[in-house]
Amino acid sequence: MTVRPINPTTLEPLETVESTTIEQLDVAASRAEAALAGAWPVDARRRARVLLDWAPALEAHTAEIVHALVTETGKPITEARVEVRASVDALRYNAGLAAHLGGHAGTLPDGTVSHLVREPVGVTTFIVPWNWPVLLLLRDLAPAFAAGVTALVKPAPQTTLVTDLVLSLGFQAGLPTDVAHLIVGHADVGQVAVEHPLVRAVAFTGSSTTGAEILRACATGFKRPLLEMGGKGAVVICADADVDLAVSAAVQAAVVTSGQMCMACTRILVDRSLYQPVLAKVRAELETLRVGDPADPRTRLGPLISPAEGERVERYLGRSCRLPGFAGYFMRPVVVTDVDVGSPIVQEELFGPVVTVEPFIDEADAVRLANATPFGLATGVWTRDIGRAWRLARAIQAGTVWVNGYNHSYPEVPSGGFKSSGLGRTRGVAGVEQFTELKHVHFSVGPQANRQGMGYTPVPLLRDDRPEWTELVAWRPRGLALPSEWSCCSGLTSRGWCTNVR
């Protein structure tokens, strides 16, 4: 079988790529598993150097990557450049975390020593969407490599070529070829990559429907899931907000990737006293945005990823939105008003440049509306009152709440979703820990090795209520009494230590 992406702007076919066979995938998984026994998981400096060298390689090939993004996703060229810059930031930040030891050690009350160490979780499958294929790959892959895992990378079929380019630059920067493996194909190949017995974790970005299927597969195999799924991002505009800035931020967030982004602003919740002026400003500002050739720097909205996706959006709206004169599916942004909060337009992820404008009565009503969908990925709150901002941020069920802003994401700060928007966190230190197992290593050293020399007395115990405990030894500080239920002797308190030596 093959994968043949289509240019969403021209609908012309792009280069054909052979799908990964089951046998090839099995070899890739075995090689990734074998790499965990080598230097990669333990040589943090090597991992840091690979990530550091990968970053300038991306920068040097920015024009090539941007061209591939525009061709394969239809996103505007200005947005593609932002994606490459953010991907470089992800590599550089996580290079620093690769050398971070991240464990803890301490002496316990009995004088023994405990170490808590983090180890790579194992072979991890990365399922990457088409809309931000470079950033959403490296957002997860960079912290995973910092942690020392090995990877099976399964991109969306539509963005196989740009993913191959990015991984190739990584190999040129020193990434071992047995550490990362490109897996090509459609959903059936992705399913095998998730369910493979050597895979111990899955990182997925995509729809909540597919995420639920992956979660079930992870449960069956006891694999660790990292899921960032759908969203119904909202901007809450309070009565005291800077309306011009709030509307501008909401409009720009509504049309990012032509609305085909999980964090896109899909709902504007506005204090009812400002409803009409805000609605007028939203419509006026959307009208100024240029729809057209994504390779033109003046363009703000390119095509939807396919005509089929455009027709799906039309079914929600009940009318045709396709602009004439284009091969691909281009549409102008749509504003929906007088909509019931229970309607599919509010409750479901449309993945198009569609935004609802909904009035609220007071803070409680704003919270009710913001929390009324199954999703909880991101929300923006606009107010000059810091107390109100804090109350709303705490009450809104979302993984990220921006105050007087929107779509501010950083490699240093964890992100993820509530409810149907996801499980786990990526970015920041939490993003590295997501790809580790926490292990407790206990050392019986010091006082435990010679308790009698440190003032402890071995006391044989027999419990009346546990006759099967035929021989139990309690190590107790001399002079302390045992509780009455230990009827055979006198000695153990909560500061005593016992060892079953049956």
Side-chain angles (χ1 to χ4, degrees), residues 79 235 245-259 261 263-265 268 285-286 288-289 300-301 406-407:
E79 184 178 299
V235 166
L245 289 179
V247 168
S248 180
V251 165
Q252 296 303 314
V255 300
V256 62
T257 324
S258 296
M261 183 188 181
M263 283 190 172
C265 172
I268 300 175
E285 192 156 335
L286 286 172
T288 68
L289 301 180
R300 192 64 186 86
L301 288 89
Y406 202 89
N407 261 351

Side-chain angles (χ1 to χ4, degrees), residues 120-481:
V121 69
V123 180
T124 301
T125 293
F126 295 82
I127 309 291
V128 189
W130 60 262
N131 56 349
W132 284 68
V134 179
L135 177 58
L136 296 182
L137 168 64
L138 295 178
R139 177 201 65 183
D140 294 345
L141 196 61
F145 283 166
V149 310
T150 56
L152 305 180
V153 176
K154 166 61 178 70
Q158 180 65 22
T159 47
T160 298
L161 299 174
V162 71
T163 305
D164 187 25
L165 171 59
V166 169
L167 287 178
S168 297
L169 294 173
F171 295 137
Q172 293 172 29
L175 180 66
T177 55
D178 56 349
V179 166
H181 303 266
L182 179 65
I183 306 299
V184 178
H186 296 278
D188 57 334
V189 176
Q191 181 178 357
V192 175
V194 168
E195 296 178 351
H196 196 282
L198 293 180
V199 169
R200 299 308 314 140
V202 178
F204 167 78
T205 303
S207 73
S208 297
T209 300
T210 303
E213 296 174 1
I214 289 175
L215 184 59
R216 284 190 287 271
C218 287
T220 301
F222 296 96
K223 305 171 193 285
R224 175 173 299 180
L226 170 60
L227 308 175
E228 183 176 286
M229 301 184 291
K232 290 294 290 187
V235 166
V236 179
I237 303 178
C238 299
D240 65 337
D242 185 321
V243 171
D244 290 340
L245 289 179
V247 168
S248 180
V251 165
Q252 296 303 314
V255 300
V256 62
T257 324
S258 296
Q260 301 168 111
M261 183 188 181
C262 54
M263 283 190 172
C265 172
T266 63
R267 305 172 67 201
I268 300 175
L269 311 179
V270 55
D271 187 282
R272 62 180 177 179
S273 66
L274 296 176
Y275 180 75
Q276 289 300 332
V278 165
L279 177 59
K281 287 178 180 291
V282 168
R283 284 175 168 160
E285 192 156 335
L286 286 172
E287 280 297 319
T288 68
L289 301 180
R290 182 186 180 93
V291 180
D293 180 4
D296 187 336
R298 298 171 297 174
T299 294
R300 192 64 186 86
L301 288 89
L304 298 192
I305 192 63
S306 69
E309 284 302 299
E311 291 163 5
R312 187 182 65 82
V313 174
E314 287 180 356
R315 289 194 289 272
Y316 281 98
L317 299 174
R319 60 185 176 87
S320 176
C321 300
R322 189 168 188 170
L323 295 176
F326 297 98
Y329 192 103
F330 290 75
M331 66 179 288
R332 291 209 60 81
V334 175
V335 178
V336 179
T337 60
D338 302 318
V339 61
D340 184 82
V341 72
S343 71
I345 287 180
V346 173
Q347 291 297 315
E348 299 176 17
E349 190 175 38
L350 274 60
F351 240 50
V354 179
V355 62
T356 62
V357 182
E358 307 165 52
F360 63 81
I361 300 170
D362 53 22
E363 284 185 32
D365 195 36
V367 170
R368 178 186 67 83
L369 290 173
N371 292 339
T373 76
F375 304 100
L377 191 57
T379 301
V381 173
W382 285 80
T383 177
R384 291 184 172 91
D385 184 334
I386 190 63
R388 177 182 291 118
W390 185 249
R391 290 192 300 272
L392 289 171
R394 292 298 300 272
I396 291 171
Q397 298 166 357
T400 297
V401 178
W402 293 289
V403 176
N404 296 331
Y406 202 89
N407 261 351
H408 297 296
S409 296
Y410 308 89
E412 298 88 351
V413 182
S415 64
F418 285 20
K419 301 188 290 185
S420 295
S421 287
L423 292 173
R425 291 296 181 269
T426 186
R427 296 191 172 106
V429 175
V432 176
E433 292 180 346
Q434 178 72 40
F435 296 99
T436 64
E437 291 283 11
L438 185 62
K439 177 181 286 186
H440 175 213
V441 181
H442 181 259
F443 291 87
S444 295
V445 296
Q448 170 142 359
N450 186 13
R451 284 196 178 106
Q452 287 181 279
M454 296 294 290
Y456 289 82
T457 301
V459 182
L461 303 176
L462 290 176
R463 285 191 59 167
D464 296 338
D465 60 333
R466 298 298 298 271
E468 72 274 17
W469 288 14
T470 56
E471 187 177 1
L472 188 72
V473 172
W475 293 93
R476 65 176 178 85
R478 292 195 183 110
L480 294 180

